[in-house]
Amino acid sequence: MCKNFLLISIKPEYAQKILDGEKTVELRKTRTRLKPGDIVLVYVSSPQQVIAGFF
């Protein structure tokens, strides 16, 4: 089974809340078509500009 990857860009303050478990919902304009087993990469935007985690 082929896994799909989704890279989402998030501002640093919100990314930290997501990774800490404080923020559990992220609304996007574009609908994502994720399936069980797909991987979401969390990219923290400027000034950090790093991939901070995944789920």
Side-chain angles (χ1 to χ4, degrees), residues 8-26:
I8 57 173
S9 176
I10 302 186
K11 293 182 180 182
E13 61 269 20
Y14 300 120
Q16 190 58 51
K17 288 182 179 185
I18 288 171
L19 297 172
D20 290 342
E22 295 176 38
K23 186 172 183 335
T24 58
V25 175
E26 177 67 22

Side-chain angles (χ1 to χ4, degrees), residues 5-19 26 28 39-55:
F5 292 89
L6 173 67
L7 178 68
I8 57 173
S9 176
I10 302 186
K11 293 182 180 182
E13 61 269 20
Y14 300 120
Q16 190 58 51
K17 288 182 179 185
I18 288 171
L19 297 172
E26 177 67 22
R28 295 285 171 163
I39 297 173
V40 177
L41 301 169
V42 178
Y43 172 76
V44 180
S45 62
S46 185
Q48 296 177 0
Q49 299 178 332
V50 297
I51 294 178
F54 65 94
F55 54 91

